[in-house]
């Protein structure tokens, strides 16, 4: 099999992956996404607050950034035995794909 299905099979079955690190890394990234959804969708779109970064939750942006960086590093360390140096470009490409997809959302 080729493409994303082959990569998913590697993530699911390869014994070289440190499962604890990958789960904690994905958990950190999920916290980042939940904070982002709260700020962008919950406050900006649903409640109509346009200046939330200055008045409502200024500390959430550094917290989300910290979780994103920690999640990226943990996922990189967990997947390094499988892809080696290519782990960084692969994860960066996936990250940029998520960012570009999010920028196309209507809210």
């Amino acid at each position: 099999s080729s493409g994303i299905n082959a990569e998913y099979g590697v993530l699911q079955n390869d014994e070289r992956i440190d499962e604890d690190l990958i789960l904690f890394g994905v958990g950190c990234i999920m916290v980042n996404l939940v904070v982002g959804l709260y700020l962008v969708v919950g406050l900006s779109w649903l409640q109509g607050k346009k200046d939330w970064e200055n008045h409502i939750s200024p500390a959430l942006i550094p917290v989300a950034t910290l979780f994103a960086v920690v999640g990226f590093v943990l996922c990189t360390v967990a997947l390094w035995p499988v892809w080696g140096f290519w782990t960084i470009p692969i994860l960066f490409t996936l990250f940029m794909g998520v960012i570009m997809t999010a920028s196309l959302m209507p809210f």
Side-chain angles (χ1 to χ4, degrees):
S1 174
S2 64
I4 192 74
N5 291 334
E7 301 305 325
Y8 181 71
V10 168
L11 291 175
Q12 193 174 26
N13 299 320
D14 200 313
E15 295 176 4
R16 296 173 289 177
I17 296 173
D18 188 334
E19 291 182 23
D20 294 333
L21 283 180
I22 196 80
L23 288 176
F24 192 64
V26 169
C28 287
I29 293 170
M30 294 303 290
V31 169
N32 178 31
L33 291 175
V34 167
V35 170
L37 283 173
Y38 168 71
L39 292 174
V40 173
V41 176
L43 293 180
S44 295
W45 195 50
L46 295 177
Q47 294 182 12
K49 299 186 191 290
K50 300 299 179 197
D51 58 346
W52 52 264
E53 63 273 355
N54 294 326
H55 301 290
I56 297 173
S57 321
L60 284 180
I61 295 173
V63 168
T65 303
L66 176 69
F67 274 99
V69 170
V70 169
F72 184 82
V73 169
L74 289 176
C75 289
T76 301
V77 171
L79 295 171
W80 193 270
V82 178
W83 294 316
F85 174 77
W86 287 105
T87 305
I88 295 170
I90 289 170
L91 291 180
F92 182 75
T93 303
L94 291 172
F95 168 73
M96 289 308 295
V98 169
I99 295 298
M100 292 298 116
T101 302
S103 71
L104 297 173
M105 296 295 170
F107 40 80

